[in-house]
Amino acid sequence: MSGRIIAVWGGSNSGKTTFAVNLACALSTSDRLVGLISSNLTHGDLQVFFGQSVPPQKGLFHALNEDNPNIGEKFTEYAESKNLFFLSAPTHYTGLLCDTVTLREAERMMNAAAFVFDILIVDGAAEATNPISGVGLWLADRIYTLHKPSIAAQMWHEGVSDFVRELHIAEKQIHILQLPNGEFDDKTYRSMMGLPFAYDLPYVKRAGELENAGTPIYFFHDRTCRRYGKVLEQIAKGICGGEAS
């Protein structure tokens, strides 16, 4: 039986990768085997968040391009958790392969990975044309869509509306609001969007510092990070228990 596929989506700078990484951390503490896939085809970003390196013989393009691979061997184990593995472009990578990725390759890879992991998280891209992201959204059981209040976020949401309609994924979306740091009023954004926000994520001032240090927010225990972690635990409980959000 294959595992559940969860997609994380949002516009540029919406905090989706931060959310995907830390949701994976929260899920990995519940004795689930968790796989996290990056849709970034030009830069290996997940290893920055985890403070590790992806060797050339592992990573996203080996998983995509090999026939019937032992897909689990292409993931990198997170050193701090025996249950969490991530798939990203290798740390030293030229980007020459990124234009060769097909939807068929992406679908085959994700279906294979879903048989290895209890929960597979796909960190999506803002661009609707990204093949990893698009297949992840199509196959996902749930799509957590991140919003960082701004005019740009509203424009992104409007810009992908036809894509959402054509893929029939609106009913799978669960909208999450990143509480702003005084840059844009969240009440105004809620009114502008008219969306049901299932969760509010607190603003974490130290997020960038922690990410650059390879320390996931979920495992850092100052007050704000604990508040962020509590929201993740609620979401993880819903995923593991199959509860409606």
Side-chain angles (χ1 to χ4, degrees), residues 28 33 36-38 62 83 118 162 197 228 236 238:
S28 71
L33 196 63
L36 173 61
I37 297 177
S38 173
H62 279 285
N83 294 327
D118 298 315
D162 287 344
F197 290 101
Y228 190 100

Side-chain angles (χ1 to χ4, degrees), residues 5 102-104 106-108 110 122 130-140 167:
I5 298 177
T102 67
L103 293 172
R104 180 174 295 180
E107 183 177 5
R108 178 193 55 78
M110 284 186 208
V122 180
N130 183 291
I132 306 294
S133 179
V135 171
L137 293 168
W138 173 253
L139 294 179
L167 261 67

Side-chain angles (χ1 to χ4, degrees), residues 111-210:
N111 282 328
F115 277 96
V116 175
F117 298 100
D118 298 315
I119 300 170
L120 187 67
I121 300 174
V122 180
D123 179 24
E127 301 81 15
T129 55
N130 183 291
I132 306 294
S133 179
V135 171
L137 293 168
W138 173 253
L139 294 179
D141 299 290
R142 298 184 186 187
I143 301 167
Y144 291 97
T145 304
L146 277 289
H147 296 255
K148 183 179 180 181
S150 66
I151 297 299
Q154 181 194 30
M155 293 177 66
W156 175 83
H157 181 76
E158 291 177 355
V160 299
S161 60
D162 287 344
F163 177 79
V164 169
R165 185 165 50 252
E166 289 171 6
L167 261 67
H168 304 287
I169 59 176
E171 66 276 6
K172 299 193 292 185
Q173 285 187 285
I174 299 167
H175 296 280
I176 298 176
L177 187 68
Q178 294 266 23
L179 295 179
N181 184 31
E183 298 172 355
F184 196 98
D185 181 54
D186 62 294
K187 292 182 180 179
T188 300
Y189 187 78
R190 292 176 197 270
S191 176
M192 288 165 49
M193 300 301 288
L195 294 169
F197 290 101
Y199 303 96
D200 291 351
L201 279 173
Y203 171 76
V204 179
K205 185 177 181 180
R206 301 187 64 183
E209 172 191 342
L210 293 171

